[in-house]
Structures are given as C-alpha cells and as structure tokens.
C-alpha cells in the first residue's frame, strides 16, 4: 500500500493565544538555566499540552514559563507571566511549567535553593515565556537534556522532536514511531533518551551530539526496538518509561500490569514485576536503580521483589515525581486529583514515613513536578497548570498532627510566625490545613486522606477556549462549535475565520435555527482534536463541493463576479482555498510563477488556438515551431547567442514573406515571432538584443494592425512576467510547460512557445534587469498595451491581488474590442480570491499503512507559504500539485439527477414543448 | 417571476439546487417530479 498524504488546515480566531487549550500532558522544570539578564537561574517550567497552540496548527504546544524570582527583575523573561512561585529567594525559582528540559548530570551541583528568607514576599507571578507549536497532535511527554538547553518532546503525531528553546523555535525531528509516542526517559550519563509508545516499541536515541550549535548529526545512532521481543502482546502499549541517570536500567509500564525492566545496553529484558492490578501509568527509578510504581509499590531491583506498597490513594495513581535520589520522598498524583507527598527519608522503616496531602486538583493529575519542598506544579486534563505550595514534611508535620488542623505556611517551618501576614497574596490559601490523617498507612489498611484545604493554587493562564464539539451545517461551509466555556460560535471554513459567537446557548438550538436546507457534498472532514478547528482535505472528496459565486457572499471581488455571476463555479470551495493559499504563498514572488504565471503562459496559446481556423496556417505553424524548437534547443545550451540572429531573421522572413497568406495565418505567426525573438534577444548582448527585439516589433506591427496587436498581446504577457521580480526555477517552468501542453493539447508550436518562454525566463534572469527594462519600455510604447489589463483581469480572476500589471482597468473594454477571439479561461481562474487569515496553519501529513497516526511532513501558516514554497512543492501530494500548478482536478462523473417537469394540476398551463 | 416550481407540495426557492431538492424534499429514489404553475400571490 502506498501512503497517502493529506492536507489540512487549522483555523483559529486569535493569533496570539498562548495558553494551552486542552489538557496538559507533561511538565518539566528547569532550575538551572540562567537568565542572561540577571545572571541567575530563574526557573523555567515547560508544559506540553494536547492542543495545538494558539497560533495555529500544531498540536501541542510547548510553553516555557519563567519563574518568578522575586528579587530579580525578570528582565529576562520574555513575556507574560503567571503565577510563580511565591516565595523565593534570591536565587531563583523555577517555576515554569510547561516544557521540560533535560537536566544535566551534575544535578546537585548548583541547584539553587529557594531562599527561605524571602519566602514571604509575595509570590511573583509566573510569566508566560514562549510557546512553540510544531506538533500536530497531542504532546505527550517532554524532557529536558543537555543542561536544560534542549527539550525533547514526544507526540501523538508520532514524531519525536528536539528543540532548543533558548535558541530557536523550530524543532528538529529526531525520529518516528509508528504510533503515538507516549513517554520519554532520559539517561544523562550515556546521553540517550528512550521513547515508548503505543506501537509497543521502546526506541533509544542517542542525543549526545545534538547540542544546539552542532546540529543533530548522530541522531539515529541507536535505533533499536526492544519491544519486538517481548512487548508483542496487544496490550503492551508503553505508557511510561523511566531510567536512572546512568542509563543502566530502563523500566517500562504497560496496561498489561507488568513492569518490565530492561537493560538498555543489551536491549534485553532483565526482569519484570507483576502484582499491580491496573494499568501502570508511572514509574520512577532511583539513581541506583530502585523503583516505584504507580499504585505505588516500591520494588527493589536488586532483590526483585516488592518492598512496600503504599495504599494512600483511593483512586489510581497517574503520576509520580521524586527528586530524591533514593526516592525516599516522592509525590504521587492520582486520578481523583489528590496529590500526596510521602516522605520516609531518615526513617528506619518505611512505615515510619509520613504522607501528607499536598493538594487536591479538580481532575486527574497527569504530571507533577516539585521543587525543593517549596512548590508543586500539577498538570491535569484541564488546560491550566497549577502551582501549589509544597508541604514541609517530617518534624513539623508531627506538630501539625498534634494540633490537628493547625495552619502554618507550608513552606516555612523555620519562619512560622512571619508567614501569613507578610505574604498578602498567599494569605489563607497559603495556609495548609492538614486534615489528612497525615501518616502513611503503609501496607495495611488503606486510609483515605481527606484534605480540606488546598494550599495555594495558582492558576496558570486564563484559559483560552478550546473547541469541543462541532457541527457542520448543511452548507458544508459553516461549522458550529461549542467551547469549554459554553460559548457557541459559528466558523466559516472557507474563509477560515470565526463569523460570530452566540454566547452561551444550547448548541442544538442554535444549530436548528441557523441551519439551511441545502445538500452539498462533503468535501472535508473537520475535527477539534487539538482544540481548534482542523479541516482535513483529501484527494477524493475535496473538490466535490461547488457553489455559486453570487451566493458565496464573498466580499468585494465584484469584478470577478460580474463575469461569473451566471456561471456555475466549477470549483469547489477547496479549490478556492488552495488557490488562495497558493497565492498567498506567492506573496509577491512565487505567486507569479505559479498560478498567475501559468495562466499567462498558457494564455497566448489559447489565443493561437482560437485563431487557428484555417488549414493553411498550420504549415506555418509547423515551420515556426520547428524553428523555435531548434532555436530553443540552442539556447537551451549555454549561451548560444550566435544562433539568435538567424532565427529572428527567419521568423521575420516568414512573417514578411507570406503576404499572400490570409491575415489569420499571419497573426498567429507574429506572436510566435515575438516570442522567439524575445527570448533570444534577451540573452544576446544588450545592444543587439534590444535592436532585435525592437526591430521585430516594428516590422510586423507595421505590416498589419492585427499582427501588431497580437504581438502586443504577446509581448505584454512577457512584460508582465519579466516585470515581476521573481526568479522562477527550472522545475517550475517545466511544470508549467507540462501544464501547458497537456492543457491545450498542445501542438508543437505551443510547446515551442512555452519552452521559449522558459528559456526566456532563465536567460532574463541571467541577464538581470537590463532586458527587463527594455521590455518595460516596449510595453509602454506599444500601442496595444491595453492588452495588459486583460491579462490582468485574467489574473485577477485567478485572484491575485498583487498582480504586477494591474495598474489600469480602463483599457479593458478596448481590449475586448481589439481582440476578438474568445479567451479560453482556465479553471484556475474560475474562483474568486478569498482572504485567508495569515495565521491559518497548513499541514501536509502522511498516513502510512502500517501506522495509525499521521506524520506531519510540512507545517506552516498561510503567511509562511511563500517562504516555504519549495518545501511545499516537495511535500504536497500529487493531486495538490496537479491542482496548484495545472489547475486541474480529477473530474468525477457528474452526478445525475433525473427529474420530470410538468404543469401543476389545475394550473392550466401547457405542457412543456418537447425538448 | 410568474412561475414557481412545486415539489412534494412545497414551493421551491428559485436558487435551490437539484441535489438539495432531491435530498431534502423529494427524499426518495427515482426521478424527481416537479410541477410548475403560476405563482400564487397569497403565498
């Protein structure tokens, strides 16, 4: 099976939303990266979410947040901030949530401590720092490495990407899984990361070399799929991975309730632990290789048995975090939102340890990160990240217990007195009531911990709205969506914009109110998986829909629509869109070379075709074509200027000599001559070329009005083209050539023309602006300049607003009178232009048979299309290219509807005449 | 506009397409039967 490529685009209303729209899947904390402005680490929290970020497309975003350090001005932080840690000291804090960076090996080194002395100053708000969008699906995990300079993200779009968040916004793709990638683990020592996903493979990647500056050369060093050996069972998707810093042990957790332990060096399974009763969603490995698992069992790798089972949570545990090298303190977050901290450090027996409820989230805790007993950040399905004050464990804890629900700032056992008063922002919320039964119930009965009060809670962002359900109206153009705040909105997926909002309404009511009675084939599929409208197009159906231009309600474009009012738009919505994007891509340069140019190029032949009514002329055609072809060949070689004069001469002679031939023959020839000359003169030394050009120009034009006008016509396209600053590539031209010939059933002559044109372009490019100038002059001088507008009009039809030759519209009428033959309109021109918001994301993705998810091949915005034109060219599916360049779509058998028309009963009207 | 088309006892809007008529008004297979009559002023 071959893979198929899909095209989709994501519509967003605001360009600059930066919050997560949907749940957050992963967090990473960077405490070491130094803020260049302050010279101190301020703490960066990375978060990865399920949405694409605001701008447009991507699936996930990564965000970086800065921690707020109190004393430091946050000069370093770029943008927005949100709540951060509260009390921090001078050093730093880290509070950023979203994305992670890998931590480096020397962890302990200078790990900044939050200064407790300052801890009572008001917490500084965390700031939003950056957001990256590049994935097209949920980002499931993120990890920091290389001294936190590099961030690696794993996504449901099957890719593993590497970012240098401090350097650039564009990631490098490390590799692919064949299914969602669910989890990552990083071994600092050996410098690899392990990725695990639903394809039941664990892949190790060597990332040692991929320092920011050096590019990523050794990425694929280790590409080993361990999973094929034992992770074959269908239930063995990998949900979690963990390893120790030295990389000697890799542990995976799966829904099959088995923890498997691997030796990453040999890629063999060392052992496995059974005993869990549910999906294993989190594992931790201590530095020396002990591990904890979700329902929280503590296993000893050495003895391969379960040391302890913590039955603190009444619901399943979804996340674990520990920064303790031996995991003697760890945090656990469960499905019911409860986050607990368990500490048995310093205890002789684990059972002497304590457990405390740190906070209670509203939803299951997917990921949590804690710092220095100060703060805990949690991520849930909700789109916010919360920061909580951590609880201080141990000694103080006992006091709390004694006093039952004593309130004291969690952070400050040492400064108990100062806390609440001096920290206004954290007032009562900072106070922790430990109503939990405090102690951990180990092993034996499971106690329910009830927290009455949460510590402190900082909501991260104002929650941008994520779109949840959506309904496509019958017109297949408008989509009704409901977001998570209950707002109902109407979107137009052709214009790619939000039309209006209805406020909080019942979406079904709105739907029934505004839906129309229409039946239009479905041309796309729409989903909101990433929290924004994503429109998927596929080859088979995306050209199916069509609508009348006058009913489209498009703004302006009046010119166009006048012409087309009655004409059924052959195009589907899609076409418009693509075209649009195409134009957009052109943004000035390539635009011309694409649609508009091809129109122009093909235009002359069309005219030729129509004029070519007599058989007589065909001879000449042939001749000319031969000439032009041969000359073309010559010129195709390098700098074959010498051949130029003869050719021109020949053509001239042809033009001049057959006085007896009917005019009609002449006129077609002339343009050819013009064409041929044009290209040739251009390459020639400037002086000569100019002469040639003009002389040719003059002689035919004097011979007959028609000839000259046609010539002018041909020249104009030329001029138009040459005026544009673009630099067509050969490939493009060739494509156009193809287009040309195929579209028009081209005869030799046409092909010849085209080729000439191509070469002209090349040559002109070589020759730079000189010839161009001349062309311009010619154009100005030429009596038939009026043709230009016509061309223009054509291109306007195609919808290019920036067509270079658009100066005058007045001559259009004239034009028409001069040029009698009807123009063959190309389908490309049939749709009016539509303006698509520049931040609309466009994705080209590939779906391969063996994988369940799509991999993005290209992702850009409408805005960036012109820059990315080449990439798009390579990545776009054939059918898209076909459409963009040739303006062709696969024509489907028209759907026939039979009907009978007869007089209404009692209307006394006659039957329709037969036929 | 002196005439109007009627299908299944419904007057068809002039811009309605055949496929819409088929799917929303006619709703059954086979050829669509439409009748024309002088426009009724009352409607």
């Amino acid at each position: 099976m071959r893979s198929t490529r899909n095209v989709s685009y994501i519509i967003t209303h605001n360009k600059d939303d930066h919050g997560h729209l949907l749940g957050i899947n992963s967090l990473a904390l960077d405490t070491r990266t130094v803020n260049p402005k302050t010279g101190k680490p301020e703490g960066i929290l990375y978060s990865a979410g399920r949405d694409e970020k605001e701008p447009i497309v991507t699936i996930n975003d990564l965000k970086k947040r800065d921690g707020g350090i109190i004393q430091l001005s946050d000069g370093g932080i770029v943008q927005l901030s949100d709540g951060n840690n509260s009390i921090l000291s001078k050093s730093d804090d880290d509070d950023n949530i979203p994305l992670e960076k890998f931590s480096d090996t020397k962890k302990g080194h200078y790990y900044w401590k939050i200064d407790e002395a300052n801890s009572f100053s008001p917490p500084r708000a965390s700031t939003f720092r950056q957001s990256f969008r590049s994935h097209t699906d949920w980002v499931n995990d993120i990890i920091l490495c290389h001294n936190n300079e590099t961030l690696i993200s794993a996504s449901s779009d099957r890719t593993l990407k590497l970012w240098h968040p401090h350097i650039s916004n564009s990631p490098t793709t490390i590799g692919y899984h064949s299914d969602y990638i669910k989890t990552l683990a990083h071994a600092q020592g050996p410098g690899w990361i392990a990725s695990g996903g639903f394809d039941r493979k664990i892949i190790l990647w060597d990332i040692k070399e991929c320092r920011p500056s050096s590019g990523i050369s050794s990425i694929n060093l280790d590409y080993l799929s361990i999973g094929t050996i034992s992770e074959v069972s269908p239930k063995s998707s990998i949900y979690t991975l963990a390893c120790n810093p030295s990389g000697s042990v890799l542990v995976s957790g799966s829904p099959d309730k088995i923890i498997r332990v691997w030796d990453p060096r040999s890629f063999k399974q060392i052992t496995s632990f059974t005993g869990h009763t549910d999906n294993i969603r989190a594992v931790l490995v201590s530095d020396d290789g002990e591990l904890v698992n979700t329902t929280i069992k503590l296993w000893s790798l050495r003895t391969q048995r379960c040391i302890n089972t913590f039955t603190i949570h009444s619901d399943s545990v979804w996340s674990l975090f520990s920064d303790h090298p031996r995991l003697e303190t760890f945090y656990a977050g469960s499905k019911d939102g409860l986050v607990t901290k368990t500490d048995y450090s310093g205890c002789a027996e684990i059972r002497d340890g304590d457990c405390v409820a740190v906070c209670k989230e509203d939803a299951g805790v997917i990921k949590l990160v804690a710092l220095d007993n100060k703060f805990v950040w949690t991520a849930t399905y909700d789109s916010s990240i919360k920061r909580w004050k951590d609880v201080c464990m141990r000694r103080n804890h006992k006091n709390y217990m004694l006093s039952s629900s004593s309130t004291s700032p969690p952070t400050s056992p040492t400064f108990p007195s100062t806390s609440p008063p001096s920290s206004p922002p954290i007032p009562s919320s900072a106070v922790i009531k430990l109503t939990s039964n405090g102690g951990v119930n180990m092993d034996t009965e499971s106690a329910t911990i009830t927290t009455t009060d949460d510590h402190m809670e900082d909501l991260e962002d104002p929650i941008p709205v994520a779109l949840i359900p959506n309904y496509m109206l019958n017109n297949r153009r408008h989509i009704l969506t409901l977001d998570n705040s209950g707002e109902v909105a109407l979107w137009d997926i052709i214009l790619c914009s939000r039309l209006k909002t209805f406020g909080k309404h019942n979406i079904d009511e709105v739907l029934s109110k505004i839906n129309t009675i229409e039946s239009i084939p479905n041309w796309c599929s729409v989903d909101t998986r990433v929290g924004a409208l994503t429109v998927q197009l596929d080859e088979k159906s995306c050209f199916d829909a069509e609508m009348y231009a006058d009913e489209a309600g498009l703004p302006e474009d009046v010119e166009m629509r006048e012409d087309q009012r009655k004409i059924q738009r052959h195009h589907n919505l899609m076409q418009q869109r693509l075209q649009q994007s195409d134009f957009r891509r052109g943004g000035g340069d390539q635009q011309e070379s694409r649609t508009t140019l091809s129109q122009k190029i093909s235009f002359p032949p069309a005219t030729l075709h129509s004029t070519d009514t007599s058989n007589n002329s065909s001879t000449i055609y042939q001749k000319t074509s031969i000439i032009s072809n041969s000359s073309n060949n010559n010129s195709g070689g390098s700098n074959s200027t010498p051949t130029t004069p003869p050719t021109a001469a020949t053509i001239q002679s042809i033009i001049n000599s057959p006085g007896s031939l009917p005019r009609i023959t002449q006129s077609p020839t002339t343009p050819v001559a013009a064409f041929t000359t044009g290209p040739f003169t251009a390459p020639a030394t400037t002086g000569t070329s100019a002469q040639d050009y003009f002389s040719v120009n003059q002689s035919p034009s004097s011979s007959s009005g028609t000839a000259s006008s046609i010539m002018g016509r041909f020249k104009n396209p030329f001029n138009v083209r040459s005026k544009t600053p673009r630099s067509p590539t050969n490939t493009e031209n060739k494509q156009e050539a193809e287009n040309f010939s195929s579209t028009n059933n081209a005869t030799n002559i046409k092909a010849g023309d085209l080729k000439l044109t191509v070469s002209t372009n090349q040559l002109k490019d070589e020759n730079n602006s000189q010839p161009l100038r001349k062309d311009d002059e010619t154009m100005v001088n030429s009596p038939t300049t009026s043709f230009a507008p016509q061309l223009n009009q054509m291109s306007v039809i195609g919808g290019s607003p920036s067509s270079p030759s658009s100066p005058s519209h007045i001559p259009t009428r004239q034009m028409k009178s001069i040029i009698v033959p009807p123009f063959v309109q190309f389908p490309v021109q049939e749709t009016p232009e539509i303006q698509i918001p520049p931040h609309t994301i466009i994705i080209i993705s590939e779906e391969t048979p063996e994988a369940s998810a799509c991999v993005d091949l290209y992702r850009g915005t409408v805005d960036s299309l012109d820059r990315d034109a080449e990439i798009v060219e390579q990545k776009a599916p054939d059918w898209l290219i076909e459409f963009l360049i040739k303006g062709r779509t696969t024509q489907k058998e028209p759907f026939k509807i039979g009907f009978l028309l007869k007089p209404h009963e009692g209307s006394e009207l006659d039957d329709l005449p037969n036929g | 506009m002196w005439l109007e088309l009627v299908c299944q006892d419904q007057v068809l809007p002039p811009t309605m397409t055949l496929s819409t008529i088929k799917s929303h008004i006619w709703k059954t297979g086979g050829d669509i039967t439409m009748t024309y009559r002088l426009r009724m002023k009352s409607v």
Side-chain angles (χ1 to χ4, degrees):
Chain A
M1 263 184 71
R2 61 186 265 269
S3 57
T4 54
R5 292 185 178 180
N6 297 322
V7 177
S8 55
Y9 55 98
I10 296 178
I11 301 169
T12 51
H13 182 59
N14 287 320
K15 191 174 175 180
D16 298 319
D17 301 335
H18 55 77
H20 286 290
L21 299 173
L22 296 176
I24 291 161
N25 280 340
S26 191
L27 296 175
L29 190 55
D30 170 13
T31 55
R32 245 155 283 119
T33 298
V34 170
N35 181 330
K37 295 247 173 81
T38 59
K40 293 182 181 172
E42 294 185 347
I44 298 176
L45 180 63
Y46 296 87
S47 63
R50 300 189 168 185
D51 40 348
E52 356 195 337
K53 239 136 172 267
E54 9 207 2
I56 303 185
V57 179
T58 332
I59 297 189
N60 344 342
D61 307 310
L62 305 182
K63 292 182 174 179
K64 243 203 279 189
R65 297 195 182 227
D66 284 336
I69 302 194
I70 298 191
Q71 295 99 330
L72 314 182
S73 59
D74 47 353
I77 309 201
V78 186
Q79 291 126 341
L80 330 172
S81 43
D82 330 353
N84 207 3
N85 352 324
S86 20
I87 318 186
L88 305 180
S89 49
K90 27 185 87 223
S91 18
D92 48 291
D93 31 337
D94 1 347
D95 4 309
N96 317 325
I97 307 186
L99 298 191
E100 258 198 12
K101 302 177 164 184
F102 290 149
S103 47
D104 35 19
T105 30
K106 14 187 162 163
K107 202 167 188 182
H109 253 283
Y110 42 134
Y111 188 71
W112 296 76
K113 289 259 180 173
I114 293 178
D115 179 354
E116 303 199 348
N118 294 325
S119 50
F120 300 108
S121 44
R124 187 194 200 68
S126 301
T127 340
F128 169 77
R129 187 152 153 173
Q130 256 172 290
S131 115
F132 307 98
R133 270 163 292 115
S134 177
H135 285 288
T136 325
D137 208 327
W138 294 7
V139 174
N140 290 315
D141 205 358
I142 49 177
I143 265 189
L144 288 167
C145 55
H146 296 147
N147 261 327
N148 295 348
E149 282 166 8
T150 309
L151 175 78
I152 293 183
S153 59
S155 164
S156 293
D157 63 7
R158 296 168 43 209
T159 57
L160 203 57
K161 293 190 178 183
L162 183 145
W163 309 71
H164 299 302
H166 303 300
I167 297 174
S168 83
N169 279 350
S170 46
T172 313
T173 300
I174 299 179
Y176 302 91
H177 271 255
S178 53
D179 206 334
Y180 295 174
I181 306 178
K182 185 73 180 161
T183 182
L184 291 173
H186 174 230
Q188 297 148 353
W192 48 254
I193 55 168
S195 57
F198 290 180
D199 59 358
R200 306 193 288 277
K201 284 187 205 157
I202 297 170
I203 301 180
L204 297 187
W205 312 86
D206 186 339
I207 51 160
K208 252 178 304 202
E209 301 304 318
C210 47
R211 298 272 164 172
S213 51
S214 63
I216 307 163
S217 46
S218 62
I219 282 176
N220 283 324
L221 253 188
D222 291 321
Y223 181 107
L224 296 168
S225 63
I226 303 171
T228 40
I229 306 168
S230 61
E231 305 260 331
V232 195
S233 87
K235 290 199 70 179
S236 298
S237 296
I238 294 164
Y239 270 75
T240 182
L241 282 175
C243 63
N244 55 352
S246 64
S248 59
V249 172
L250 180 67
V251 176
S252 65
S254 301
D256 58 5
K257 308 174 185 111
I258 299 174
I259 296 177
R260 291 187 174 81
V261 183
W262 310 86
D263 180 353
R265 286 161 289 205
S266 63
F267 304 103
K268 296 257 172 63
Q269 181 170 343
I270 303 172
T271 184
S272 64
F273 297 124
T274 54
H276 282 284
T277 54
D278 204 346
N279 187 359
I280 294 163
R281 286 176 178 266
V283 287
L284 292 176
V285 179
S286 62
D287 291 1
D288 59 358
E290 233 164 350
L291 81 129
V292 176
N293 151 23
T294 24
T295 349
I296 319 195
K297 281 171 186 275
L298 184 61
W299 304 83
S300 164
L301 278 180
R302 231 163 289 151
T303 59
Q304 307 204 347
R305 63 180 187 88
C306 178
I307 302 173
N308 214 325
T309 302
F310 301 85
T311 47
I312 309 159
H313 289 270
S314 53
D315 212 330
S316 59
V317 176
W318 279 5
S319 55
L320 287 174
F321 175 82
S322 175
D323 52 8
H324 192 283
R326 294 194 44 83
L327 306 181
E328 286 171 359
T329 303
F330 65 87
Y331 299 82
S334 70
K335 185 184 172 186
D336 57 12
L338 191 63
V339 176
T340 58
K341 181 179 181 182
T342 305
D343 184 357
Y344 59 91
S345 59
C347 298
E349 299 268 341
I350 291 179
R351 70 185 64 245
D352 294 337
D354 296 326
C355 175
V356 130
V358 177
C359 57
K360 177 80 167 67
E361 271 278 12
D362 302 332
V365 177
I366 294 172
K367 185 91 176 182
L368 57 93
V369 172
L371 173 74
D372 279 3
N373 290 337
K374 287 290 184 258
F375 300 104
V376 176
W377 289 270
T378 57
T380 63
Y381 283 131
D382 192 343
S383 54
S384 63
I385 295 169
K386 294 182 183 172
R387 186 185 62 212
W388 310 78
K389 279 194 149 188
D390 198 355
V391 194
C392 234
M393 298 294 286
R394 301 302 298 160
R395 271 129 263 188
N396 311 303
H397 178 52
K398 280 190 183 135
N399 295 336
Y400 296 156
M401 299 270 311
L402 291 179
S403 60
S404 176
S405 61
S406 71
T407 59
S408 81
T411 44
S412 63
T414 18
F415 309 86
S417 54
T418 45
S419 64
S422 63
S423 57
I426 336 168
S428 60
S429 61
V431 177
I432 312 164
K433 285 184 203 158
L434 298 177
T435 53
S436 61
N437 44 12
V440 183
N441 312 316
M442 318 217 88
D443 294 338
T444 48
E445 74 259 27
S446 66
T448 327
I449 298 183
T450 51
T451 20
T452 48
D453 201 355
D454 300 338
H455 300 177
M456 125 176 199
E457 161 173 350
D458 270 342
L459 270 188
E460 250 224 341
D461 314 294
I463 305 175
V465 281
L467 305 173
I468 319 160
N470 66 85
Y471 297 96
M472 188 182 279
L473 302 193
N474 285 338
N475 62 11
R476 303 283 181 217
R477 171 178 177 184
H478 294 147
I479 306 282
L480 206 55
T481 59
L482 181 64
D483 66 27
N484 50 13
S485 65
E487 296 252 328
V488 175
L490 184 66
W491 300 75
D492 185 323
I493 53 174
I494 297 175
L495 296 179
C496 298
S497 60
R498 188 174 73 187
L499 299 181
K500 61 174 168 174
T501 56
F502 295 90
K504 300 191 192 322
H505 264 93
N506 182 325
I507 190 168
D508 294 312
E509 282 173 16
V510 178
L511 181 67
S512 61
K513 213 177 291 171
I514 64 174
N515 214 347
T516 53
I517 298 179
E518 265 180 291
S519 169
I520 292 185
N522 209 351
W523 56 277
C524 65
S525 62
V526 176
D527 71 62
T528 51
R529 191 176 44 167
V530 294
L533 275 186
T534 307
V535 181
Q536 280 264 9
L537 306 171
D538 85 78
E539 175 178 7
K540 293 190 192 72
S541 62
C542 75
F543 296 104
D544 284 0
E546 50 190 37
M547 69 194 302
Y548 293 97
D550 59 342
E551 293 174 6
L554 297 173
E556 301 155 20
D557 262 355
V558 188
E559 223 178 283
M560 211 175 154
R561 285 205 282 143
E562 285 299 317
D563 296 347
Q564 299 208 313
R565 171 147 302 216
K566 293 265 168 105
I567 304 174
Q568 184 189 18
R569 272 220 258 118
H570 295 259
H571 354 59
N572 28 25
L573 316 175
M574 196 20 227
Q575 184 167 347
Q576 293 183 346
R577 212 206 91 71
L578 284 181
Q579 212 172 333
Q580 171 58 17
S581 64
D582 193 42
F583 283 121
R584 278 326 195 104
R585 147 192 329 178
D589 280 357
Q590 310 262 344
Q591 159 182 344
E592 273 295 302
S593 63
R594 298 260 168 184
T595 351
T596 326
L597 179 55
S598 66
Q599 288 168 10
K600 283 174 185 161
I601 288 186
S602 38
F603 183 69
T607 324
L608 279 182
H609 200 60
S610 54
T611 26
D612 179 14
T613 46
S614 76
N615 288 333
N616 293 343
S617 60
S618 64
T619 342
I620 289 211
Y621 268 7
Q622 295 284 2
K623 263 193 203 163
T624 343
S625 72
I626 291 164
I627 293 165
S628 56
N629 275 338
S630 63
S631 55
N632 175 43
N633 288 340
N634 288 338
S635 70
S638 57
N639 285 337
S640 52
T641 337
T643 47
T644 312
T647 318
T650 329
I651 289 173
Q652 271 179 348
S653 68
I654 289 175
I655 292 164
N656 292 331
S657 63
S660 58
L661 282 174
R663 243 193 194 178
I664 203 158
T665 27
Q666 243 181 5
S667 50
T669 331
T670 322
V672 174
F675 253 118
T676 14
T677 352
F680 282 103
T681 49
T685 56
T686 27
T688 344
S689 72
Q691 266 183 356
D692 279 341
Y693 198 91
F694 283 169
S695 64
V696 171
N697 184 10
Q698 276 160 7
S699 58
S701 65
S702 59
S703 68
S704 82
T706 321
S708 72
S709 73
I710 289 178
M711 246 199 61
R713 197 194 298 160
F714 281 107
K715 223 180 291 162
N716 280 329
F718 243 89
N719 294 335
V720 169
R721 218 180 310 123
S722 51
K723 272 208 299 192
T724 65
R726 110 209 114 88
S727 54
T729 64
N730 283 339
T731 345
E732 271 167 3
N733 282 326
K734 271 185 198 130
Q735 278 163 340
E736 279 154 16
E738 271 174 36
N739 158 31
F740 186 112
S741 50
S742 53
T743 329
N744 289 308
N745 268 343
T747 57
N748 274 346
I749 194 169
K750 288 171 189 166
D753 277 352
L754 210 246
K755 276 188 186 152
L756 285 176
T757 326
V758 172
S759 60
T760 314
N761 276 331
Q762 285 172 265
L763 295 169
K764 278 193 178 148
D765 282 346
E766 285 164 18
N767 280 0
N768 272 340
S769 55
Q770 283 239 334
L772 298 190
R773 257 288 142 205
K774 266 162 213 142
D775 284 349
D776 286 348
E777 282 167 22
T778 325
M779 186 176 171
V780 175
N781 294 337
S782 159
T784 49
T785 328
S786 56
F787 191 78
Q790 178 79 7
L791 278 181
N792 224 346
Q793 198 191 7
M794 301 296 285
S795 59
V796 167
I797 289 171
S800 99
S802 57
S803 167
S805 54
S806 50
S808 63
H809 288 284
I810 316 127
T812 309
R813 291 254 163 78
Q814 267 185 336
M815 230 287 307
K816 274 186 178 154
S817 60
I818 296 175
I819 298 174
V820 193
F823 300 108
V824 177
Q825 284 208 348
F826 278 39
V828 184
Q829 304 159 339
E830 288 174 1
T831 36
E833 180 195 0
I834 47 178
Q835 293 289 340
I836 294 177
H839 55 269
T840 303
I841 296 172
I842 295 173
I843 301 174
I844 297 172
S845 61
E846 184 169 52
E847 197 171 4
T848 44
E850 71 271 11
S852 56
C854 290
V855 170
D856 285 1
L857 297 176
Y858 168 76
R859 174 195 191 87
T861 63
V862 168
D863 218 10
S864 70
L865 273 181
D866 51 341
R867 293 193 295 276
D868 298 338
E870 256 178 58
I871 309 172
V872 173
E873 222 168 89
Q874 291 163 8
K875 304 290 189 187
D878 292 346
W879 59 268
L880 178 59
I881 296 282
E882 184 99 340
F883 171 73
L884 290 178
I885 305 211
K886 303 183 189 175
R888 286 198 300 172
T889 62
T890 41
Q891 291 293 330
K892 287 193 180 173
E893 196 60 23
F895 180 53
K896 285 181 186 153
I897 299 174
F899 64 93
L900 296 172
L901 210 49
K902 56 188 184 187
H904 198 68
E905 271 177 45
S907 69
E908 299 172 6
L909 291 171
D910 292 337
D911 281 341
L912 290 171
N914 202 12
Chain B
M1 295 276 286
W2 290 94
L3 289 174
E4 64 190 8
L5 279 176
V6 179
C7 181
Q8 304 284 64
D9 292 331
Q10 294 182 49
V11 177
L12 304 174
T15 56
M16 187 174 271
T17 63
L18 263 182
S19 72
T20 302
I21 295 168
K22 178 155 184 151
S23 61
H24 285 91
I25 296 179
W26 185 245
K27 289 177 181 167
T28 55
D31 285 357
I32 302 168
T33 301
M34 288 177 287
T35 55
Y36 54 92
R37 66 182 181 201
L38 289 176
R39 193 175 184 79
M40 295 186 164
K41 283 167 194 156
S42 60
V43 187

